[in-house]
Amino acid sequence: MSKPALMRQMPQIAHVDVNCFYASAERAFDPSLEGRPLVVLSNNDGCAVTRSPEAKALGIATGEPWFKLAPRAKEWGLVAKSSNYELYGDISARVMELLGRYSAWLEVYSIDEAFLGVKGEPEQLLALGRTMKNAVRRNVGVPVCVGIAPTKTLAKLCNKWAKNNPAFGGVCHWDSVPAAVREQLLARLSVEEIWGIAGRLAGRLNAIGIHTVLDLARADPVAIRDKFSVVMMRTVLELNGTPCIPMEEERLGRDQLIFSRSFATPVTTAAGLRQVLSIYGQNASARLAKHGLQAKVLTAFAGTSPFSGQEQSYPSVCVPLPMPTADPLLLTKAAHALLPNIREGIRYAKVGLMLTDLRPSGNQSPLELFENRHEERRIGTLLEDVSSRFGRGSIGLGHGGIKTGLDWTMKRNMRSPRYTTHWDELPLVKAA
């Protein structure tokens, strides 16, 4: 069998990425935003984290503060939206569920991108890419681009080409692009465009004469390993079509879970922080239950804003739990261990919980003497199920069982409706 025929029978990788995800999710339910410059803001409406192509054309940079943009927003026709994580999470879940219909080998890499294992002739793979692109647009309402290649690194590069070159029509297959054209495209891309290469690493590559993706692809992988790392050597091999980064069925094998938020209004009392820690404790419990995990160590921390001009304070406490648990009562009690370190009158701008030493639920039954009498009641699972169905704030425990809005909660004054997750915010359609 010839080498080209053999390569066509080997699995390839499709990388699917939603274009300007947050902005596209907003436009899916508000067509009036199409064609208009749009930015989605960070927590507490701080700065632009997503920019539509029209906003980029205005020269708006990622991270630009909203207070600087607001005075010229009317002049530019600029629309700003507060982050709507409930909407974005649901849109993401719909996209990933739909993509899963096209491959039994799906790796959800982030909220807006996924890798899929695919197989077929170049024409078949191009047709599959177009089918997925059109299906997501038609059924979910957001635009995606698709890159298909023998390796993850090349698939991401193909996606970049598909997104930035109209000639590809949003779908690019590595083997369908003539070799001479591929070299030209690689020569135009800075080495910083490669997956996993940041500014400082790019500077080190530039110092030895590697400025473009093509330069790195032509480098000796062994020499690159000796000067940099095995990881960088794998990147060189991936650029040359040798798969070195395997597909993963799950990305839940995390080492820690962090639940942290900045406040719209600083909290200045221990009683106020008790309320925050209680809510975060039960939210962390629900998150653990959702992923079938338990934690053995909880760290609680708080902090003031370094820009407040006021007295600074950054208390923290690490609490070993008596057993691996996802029980909200135990987690909340452990989080409250931070309270003796809280100083009244200090303007705390952020509080968080970090759960570490995570283990699968039910992996090992504790001895009866150490058994947690709340664990079998599956309270964390109950909190997650009720909250998923009726929204956050619909159920709570003790100091965390408050449904009404709180003045310290995240400021989102320009948030769009949560169209798909809250009954009272469902979109309305009026017939003429």
Side-chain angles (χ1 to χ4, degrees):
M1 183 180 296
S2 66
K3 186 175 180 179
L6 180 62
M7 289 298 293
R8 286 196 293 270
Q9 291 187 2
M10 294 178 64
Q12 301 231 333
I13 295 174
H15 177 249
V16 183
D17 182 34
V18 183
N19 304 342
C20 299
F21 177 59
Y22 289 177
S24 294
E26 296 287 351
R27 286 172 167 174
F29 288 93
D30 187 354
S32 70
L33 297 175
E34 290 287 350
R36 300 177 65 184
L38 170 67
V39 294
V40 176
L41 304 176
S42 62
N43 293 350
N44 296 313
D45 295 342
C47 58
V49 293
T50 295
R51 305 157 297 150
S52 70
E54 297 82 2
K56 293 176 184 177
L58 291 172
I60 297 173
T62 298
E64 193 154 357
W66 172 241
F67 75 86
K68 290 185 177 180
L69 299 173
R72 302 193 64 184
K74 186 175 181 180
E75 172 191 345
W76 289 336
L78 177 65
V79 179
K81 292 290 185 179
S82 300
S83 50
N84 188 343
Y85 299 120
E86 297 91 339
L87 175 65
Y88 308 150
D90 189 63
I91 293 291
S92 173
R94 295 179 185 216
V95 170
M96 301 310 167
E97 189 278 331
L98 182 57
L99 292 177
R101 302 178 190 180
Y102 297 95
S103 174
W105 197 5
L106 173 70
E107 176 189 336
V108 178
Y109 183 69
S110 68
I111 192 172
D112 63 343
E113 59 182 315
F115 293 102
L116 295 88
V118 294
K119 203 171 184 180
E121 299 286 336
E123 297 78 11
Q124 295 172 323
L125 293 177
L126 278 173
L128 175 63
R130 295 186 185 107
T131 297
M132 290 191 293
K133 176 179 179 292
N134 294 334
V136 174
R137 183 62 166 173
R138 181 177 63 254
N139 295 302
V140 186
V142 294
V144 302
C145 285
V146 182
I148 304 173
T151 71
K152 282 185 172 181
T153 302
L154 289 177
K156 285 183 74 76
L157 281 176
C158 284
N159 194 304
K160 191 181 295 289
W161 292 343
K163 191 170 295 185
N164 297 324
N165 192 330
F168 289 111
V171 178
C172 175
H173 179 223
W174 176 261
D175 293 329
S176 299
V177 181
V181 176
R182 291 200 304 250
E183 285 202 358
Q184 291 176 8
L185 292 170
L186 291 174
R188 294 175 188 171
L189 287 176
S190 164
V191 74
E192 288 184 283
E193 300 289 339
I194 300 175
W195 182 31
I197 295 182
R200 182 177 298 179
L201 184 54
R204 290 179 60 196
L205 288 167
N206 293 164
I208 61 172
I210 297 176
H211 298 278
T212 69
V213 177
L214 184 61
D215 293 335
L216 185 59
R218 289 176 171 173
D220 179 0
V222 176
I224 291 295
R225 181 199 63 190
D226 294 341
K227 286 182 177 294
F228 295 90
S229 65
V230 172
V231 174
M232 182 61 71
M233 181 184 74
R234 290 172 183 161
T235 297
V236 176
L237 293 173
E238 287 245 329
L239 288 173
N240 285 278
T242 301
C244 298
I245 306 173
M247 290 283 289
E248 301 174 17
E249 293 183 6
E250 296 260 357
R251 295 189 67 83
L252 297 179
R254 60 189 74 182
D255 298 322
Q256 62 185 22
L257 186 153
I258 298 177
F259 201 95
S260 175
R261 296 288 186 275
S262 296
F263 303 146
T265 302
V267 178
T268 60
T269 66
L273 286 177
R274 179 186 296 274
Q275 185 183 80
V276 177
L277 291 167
S278 299
I279 293 174
Y280 286 8
Q282 68 187 40
N283 286 346
S285 167
R287 190 80 60 84
L288 286 172
K290 179 179 179 180
H291 296 303
L293 296 172
Q294 295 177 321
K296 188 67 172 62
V297 179
L298 180 146
T299 301
F301 56 90
T304 52
S305 169
F307 309 106
S308 65
Q310 306 293 319
E311 184 179 355
Q312 302 295 295
S313 177
Y314 302 96
S316 66
V317 62
C318 182
V319 183
L321 299 167
M323 66 201 73
T325 183
D327 181 73
L329 300 179
L330 288 180
L331 295 178
T332 299
K333 181 178 179 180
H336 287 175
L338 178 68
L339 295 174
N341 300 323
I342 297 300
R343 297 159 58 190
E344 295 282 339
I346 297 294
R347 296 168 58 83
Y348 292 101
K350 186 175 185 177
V351 166
L353 302 181
M354 180 170 67
L355 301 170
T356 53
D357 195 358
L358 303 188
R359 311 172 185 189
S361 298
N363 200 35
Q364 183 176 355
S365 300
L367 296 175
E368 185 174 351
L369 178 64
F370 301 101
E371 197 170 19
N372 172 21
R373 61 190 177 90
H374 302 296
E375 200 74 55
E376 291 188 1
R377 299 181 183 179
R378 300 176 63 82
I379 299 175
T381 303
L382 173 65
L383 291 174
E384 172 60 22
D385 291 345
V386 174
S387 297
S388 297
R389 184 172 179 182
F390 299 105
R392 297 294 173 192
S394 56
I395 187 172
L397 301 171
H399 294 279
I402 297 176
K403 184 175 181 179
T404 55
L406 303 165
D407 58 3
W408 51 263
T409 53
M410 187 168 56
K411 181 173 66 177
R412 295 192 287 177
N413 294 334
M414 295 172 282
R415 178 181 59 77
S416 56
R418 295 162 292 188
Y419 299 104
T420 61
T421 58
H422 287 65
W423 286 108
D424 56 347
E425 297 180 27
L426 289 175
L428 299 177
V429 178
K430 298 180 181 179

